Amino acid sequence: MDFSASEIKEGVRFVWNSIPTTRVEASQNIVPLSLLYTPFLGLEEPIVRCETKPITCPSCKWIANSFCQFDYTNFRWDCANCGAKTPLHSQFREYISNGYTLPESLNRNTIIEYKMGSAQGTAWLFVVDLCVSETELAVVKERLREAVEAVQGGYVGLIVFGKHVVAYDFHSAFTCEVVVNGSVEYPPEKLREILGVKIAEPESTVPSRFILPITGVREKLLRVIARLRPDSFVAGANCRKLRSAGQAFGVATALVESFGGSGSRITALLAGPCTQGPGMVVAPSFAEHFRAHSDLENSSDKIVQFRKSEKYYDSLADRLCQAGATVDLFAFSLDQFGAAEMRPMIEKTGGVLINQEEFTVDVFSKSIAKYVELHTRASAPLNARLKLLCAKDLMISGALGPLKLSSKTRDISQIEAPIGEAGGDEFFLGAPLPASTLAFFFAHRNPQVKETSNRCFFQFQTLYATAEGEKILRVATFMREYSSNSKTILSSFDQEAAMAVIARIAASKGNALDTNDLMLWLNSVVIKVVRRFATFTKGKPETFQSAPEISVVPQFMYYFRRSSLTQ
């Protein structure tokens, strides 16, 4: 079975392409029932886009797809998931009567898009670290100038920081600055009061003093960028520069919350660790060293500050996801900068992290140029939100990847083995890249599948805004079959996808387990898989024979255990 062909055609790879009919069978297969989905992968065939609203089943809320039965004679369609028979809306009758066919009914259209209206506007907020040398800042300003000139539509804003945080007010005739003390941790309400903003209603664009249409402030913004200078506050003897990065992200979060709109992107340029205020990574004095892995593992005094900062950035991630914003971080520092603390803020909002030593190296210039080119494309997604629907005999047990659960609709205690973001079926993706891949996990609701049909359906409904001002709903529906035959199930095993899933689970477990415990878990996985699917006589190693369907598993595990991902 050519599993890669399915990926090229549909953007999905199932670990088990035949779904076990019993919970016991699924648990005995060791590798969980799961799939890898790449929502915006460049597919083999172009995706059909409809100007009409999707046809939705009133019973199960699934959207009509190529697996449904369409009765053009009686103007009716049968839902593939629940079997409900629903009349077609009157707007489609004339269309069908003229001899046309609904795109949903064509077998080749497993993925289809719907134009849901116009986006309310998207914002691009730049956050710049001024604790750099003149040479580095000159490079940063040039790259920022190119980025601003490349942005053709939407809204834009600028925040700079050093010892204090400065948000630029472009609304007045003269460019004004609002300065926020970088060393004080303000509650969100107080910070909004200082900035003079309030949380906007969802999908209601509220141009503020700080985020305005690019067409009206481009020249003013370019002049401000040209006048930027390194932070004037001099660090004390044997001290690091006072850098209020955490406060700057807090200000950026408050501004995108006040914007509303259809999504925001925060692009931050960071030259070192946060040394004061909320989100502090390390104290200014060089006498205090950075926290090391051993400090976190042994619960030293430094773990207290680490947990506090991590909690701060995690709280920002929750607010950013609610506001539909994504954080991308260019961290160019010779020293550590706090990736572990900031990870939730970047990962959960669907952002990217690019790290090198200095802004003067070619990596920065080339990376940000590619980054701007990618995100200024007309079809670049922003504020993407995914809803996953599965067959009624299955339930979602979790998800791993650059996403965050939007809301919990199910008690996590009802899930036997939750993985990652668990407890619901709606996820925030932020601004996924064409290669952004998500792992979803499933479990049986009952000991035995009750469905009389052998077909098992999965549907992804991804709503996103584009840079050209459109709101698009992408609906991808996939079908796999149930099977009670162990040989059929084994032959449907995609071991490449399975090893990618195991690697993701291991990375997730690595946040809570020490290295030795993680290695023991990986060893147990490979031993159980081989014991389950290989044939051998106990006590006679020469009789061992591995099934070809799992031939890659031991090799992968051998190299994965020795990689930097697990050490």
Side-chain angles (χ1 to χ4, degrees), residues 264 266 313-314 316-322 324-328 342-352 382-384 401-404 428-432:
S264 306
I266 297 173
Y313 290 112
D314 194 44
L316 291 184
D318 292 338
R319 293 167 56 195
L320 288 163
C321 291
Q322 189 70 26
T326 295
V327 177
D328 298 316
M342 295 181 181
R343 177 180 174 179
M345 181 180 66
I346 301 168
E347 189 176 59
K348 290 183 178 181
T349 61
V352 297
L382 189 62
N383 191 16
L403 49 71
K404 185 184 183 303
F428 177 75
L429 309 185

Side-chain angles (χ1 to χ4, degrees), residues 124 150 366-378 380:
W124 200 328
K366 293 178 180 178
S367 296
I368 199 167
K370 184 67 176 178
Y371 167 82
V372 171
E373 177 191 351
L374 190 64
H375 290 299
T376 51
R377 292 181 297 122

Side-chain angles (χ1 to χ4, degrees), residues 238-305:
N238 297 318
C239 287
R240 301 178 177 89
K241 293 182 179 179
L242 293 175
R243 182 179 284 107
S244 307
Q247 190 76 287
F249 283 115
V251 171
T253 301
L255 294 188
V256 296
E257 284 179 325
S258 70
F259 172 72
S262 295
S264 306
R265 175 177 286 108
I266 297 173
T267 301
L269 308 180
L270 183 65
C274 179
T275 55
Q276 69 167 4
M280 185 178 74
V281 175
V282 65
S285 174
F286 280 121
E288 180 175 326
H289 300 290
F290 277 97
R291 79 281 180 276
H293 286 290
S294 57
D295 294 317
L296 305 183
E297 291 174 357
N298 300 326
S299 299
S300 70
D301 294 339
K302 293 182 180 179
I303 195 70
V304 176
Q305 179 59 45

Side-chain angles (χ1 to χ4, degrees), residues 232-510:
S232 58
F233 288 92
V234 180
N238 297 318
C239 287
R240 301 178 177 89
K241 293 182 179 179
L242 293 175
R243 182 179 284 107
S244 307
Q247 190 76 287
F249 283 115
V251 171
T253 301
L255 294 188
V256 296
E257 284 179 325
S258 70
F259 172 72
S262 295
S264 306
R265 175 177 286 108
I266 297 173
T267 301
L269 308 180
L270 183 65
C274 179
T275 55
Q276 69 167 4
M280 185 178 74
V281 175
V282 65
S285 174
F286 280 121
E288 180 175 326
H289 300 290
F290 277 97
R291 79 281 180 276
H293 286 290
S294 57
D295 294 317
L296 305 183
E297 291 174 357
N298 300 326
S299 299
S300 70
D301 294 339
K302 293 182 180 179
I303 195 70
V304 176
Q305 179 59 45
F306 174 82
R307 295 301 181 202
K308 182 180 178 182
S309 299
E310 185 182 42
K311 183 179 180 181
Y312 172 73
Y313 290 112
D314 194 44
S315 68
L316 291 184
D318 292 338
R319 293 167 56 195
L320 288 163
C321 291
Q322 189 70 26
T326 295
V327 177
D328 298 316
L329 179 61
F330 289 80
F332 283 68
S333 170
L334 289 168
D335 211 335
Q336 295 187 56
F337 59 91
E341 288 87 345
M342 295 181 181
R343 177 180 174 179
M345 181 180 66
I346 301 168
E347 189 176 59
K348 290 183 178 181
T349 61
V352 297
L353 169 62
I354 299 173
N355 178 221
Q356 245 291 344
E357 293 180 350
E358 293 181 333
F359 286 111
T360 53
V361 298
D362 287 342
V363 173
F364 170 65
S365 297
K366 293 178 180 178
S367 296
I368 199 167
K370 184 67 176 178
Y371 167 82
V372 171
E373 177 191 351
L374 190 64
H375 290 299
T376 51
R377 292 181 297 122
S379 59
L382 189 62
N383 191 16
R385 298 176 184 272
L386 182 147
K387 183 175 183 179
L388 171 56
L389 302 174
C390 62
K392 54 190 176 184
D393 282 307
L394 300 178
M395 64 177 176
I396 304 165
S397 58
L400 290 173
L403 49 71
K404 185 184 183 303
L405 188 68
S406 296
S407 60
K408 288 196 174 184
T409 56
R410 184 185 301 111
D411 187 351
I412 199 169
S413 63
Q414 298 176 0
I415 304 172
E416 185 176 348
I419 299 175
E421 295 286 317
D425 57 7
E426 296 186 15
F427 304 87
F428 177 75
L429 309 185
L433 298 171
S436 297
T437 301
L438 315 169
F440 294 96
F441 302 86
F442 305 90
H444 287 69
R445 289 185 183 274
N446 305 296
Q448 176 77 36
V449 169
K450 297 180 179 180
E451 179 62 55
T452 54
S453 169
N454 68 337
R455 300 197 301 174
C456 179
F457 295 101
F458 303 83
Q459 186 171 90
F460 295 86
Q461 301 174 6
T462 308
L463 181 66
Y464 64 97
T466 66
E468 60 185 6
E470 292 183 323
K471 188 179 292 185
I472 305 297
L473 176 64
R474 175 174 294 191
V475 181
T477 310
F478 311 114
M479 189 272 290
R480 295 297 185 268
E481 293 185 349
Y482 289 111
S483 177
S484 57
N485 187 305
S486 57
K487 290 185 178 180
T488 302
I489 294 173
L490 178 59
S491 66
S492 74
F493 181 59
D494 183 349
Q495 52 186 330
E496 292 180 0
M499 293 304 97
V501 165
I502 292 298
R504 291 204 176 201
I505 296 175
S508 177
K509 285 181 176 291

Side-chain angles (χ1 to χ4, degrees), residues 16-331:
W16 301 98
N17 287 270
S18 291
I19 312 299
T21 55
T22 66
R23 185 185 295 166
V24 172
E25 178 78 17
S27 63
Q28 288 177 344
N29 289 337
I30 312 305
V31 183
L33 188 61
S34 52
L35 61 83
L36 295 168
Y37 179 50
T38 311
F40 296 95
L41 181 69
L43 302 177
E44 196 174 45
E45 298 290 336
I47 297 174
V48 174
R49 180 174 294 182
C50 301
E51 298 293 328
T52 59
K53 294 292 189 293
I55 305 171
T56 306
C57 175
S59 299
C60 65
K61 305 305 178 185
W62 281 54
I63 292 175
N65 52 79
S66 59
F67 300 102
C68 298
Q69 295 295 321
F70 290 84
D71 184 352
Y72 289 156
T73 304
N74 299 309
F75 298 103
R76 189 187 70 191
W77 68 283
D78 301 347
C79 178
N81 178 59
C82 68
K85 302 180 185 298
T86 308
L88 287 168
H89 195 274
S90 57
Q91 65 175 324
F92 299 110
R93 295 201 172 197
E94 183 179 354
Y95 183 81
I96 295 170
S97 300
N98 291 332
Y100 293 104
T101 302
L102 294 176
E104 292 90 343
S105 65
L106 301 178
N107 291 333
R108 65 175 180 270
N109 292 337
T110 55
I111 303 176
I112 196 166
E113 289 188 337
Y114 300 90
K115 187 174 179 180
M116 303 300 287
S118 299
Q120 295 297 317
T122 58
W124 200 328
L125 188 59
F126 295 96
V127 180
V128 183
D129 185 355
L130 296 183
C131 294
V132 293
S133 65
E134 285 278 6
T135 304
E136 284 192 278
L137 187 58
V139 177
V140 169
K141 292 195 295 185
E142 179 62 21
R143 299 292 86 80
L144 279 176
R145 182 190 64 79
E146 294 172 357
V148 171
E149 290 178 346
V151 179
Q152 298 303 314
Y155 296 72
V156 70
L158 175 66
I159 295 171
V160 299
F161 66 94
K163 181 180 180 181
H164 301 303
V165 180
V166 178
Y168 284 90
D169 174 0
F170 294 107
H171 187 264
S172 58
F174 300 96
T175 302
C176 300
E177 301 175 0
V178 176
V179 181
V180 180
N181 190 332
S183 61
V184 180
E185 184 170 354
Y186 300 103
E189 299 79 11
K190 181 62 177 178
L191 190 56
R192 285 192 288 267
E193 182 184 335
I194 294 172
L195 296 169
V197 298
K198 60 181 181 179
I199 297 178
E201 294 294 327
E203 297 297 323
S204 60
T205 303
V206 183
S208 67
R209 298 180 297 159
F210 305 100
I211 301 178
L212 291 168
I214 181 69
T215 52
V217 300
R218 191 192 305 272
E219 294 303 320
K220 190 180 290 188
L221 176 58
L222 289 173
R223 287 197 297 270
V224 169
I225 291 173
R227 293 199 300 266
L228 291 178
R229 295 291 180 269
D231 190 43
S232 58
F233 288 92
V234 180
N238 297 318
C239 287
R240 301 178 177 89
K241 293 182 179 179
L242 293 175
R243 182 179 284 107
S244 307
Q247 190 76 287
F249 283 115
V251 171
T253 301
L255 294 188
V256 296
E257 284 179 325
S258 70
F259 172 72
S262 295
S264 306
R265 175 177 286 108
I266 297 173
T267 301
L269 308 180
L270 183 65
C274 179
T275 55
Q276 69 167 4
M280 185 178 74
V281 175
V282 65
S285 174
F286 280 121
E288 180 175 326
H289 300 290
F290 277 97
R291 79 281 180 276
H293 286 290
S294 57
D295 294 317
L296 305 183
E297 291 174 357
N298 300 326
S299 299
S300 70
D301 294 339
K302 293 182 180 179
I303 195 70
V304 176
Q305 179 59 45
F306 174 82
R307 295 301 181 202
K308 182 180 178 182
S309 299
E310 185 182 42
K311 183 179 180 181
Y312 172 73
Y313 290 112
D314 194 44
S315 68
L316 291 184
D318 292 338
R319 293 167 56 195
L320 288 163
C321 291
Q322 189 70 26
T326 295
V327 177
D328 298 316
L329 179 61
F330 289 80

Side-chain angles (χ1 to χ4, degrees), residues 489-560:
I489 294 173
L490 178 59
S491 66
S492 74
F493 181 59
D494 183 349
Q495 52 186 330
E496 292 180 0
M499 293 304 97
V501 165
I502 292 298
R504 291 204 176 201
I505 296 175
S508 177
K509 285 181 176 291
N511 296 328
L513 300 178
D514 61 29
T515 303
N516 291 333
D517 290 338
L518 183 61
M519 290 301 174
L520 290 174
W521 180 79
L522 289 171
N523 291 343
S524 70
V525 170
V526 70
I527 291 171
K528 289 176 182 178
V529 169
V530 171
R531 181 185 296 165
R532 168 69 171 151
F533 297 111
T535 58
F536 59 91
T537 301
K538 189 174 181 179
K540 296 183 179 181
E542 66 276 7
T543 63
F544 177 83
Q545 187 173 2
S546 174
E549 291 83 0
I550 65 163
S551 59
V552 173
V553 175
Q555 300 175 45
F556 169 86
M557 202 65 74
Y558 176 84
Y559 291 106
F560 180 64

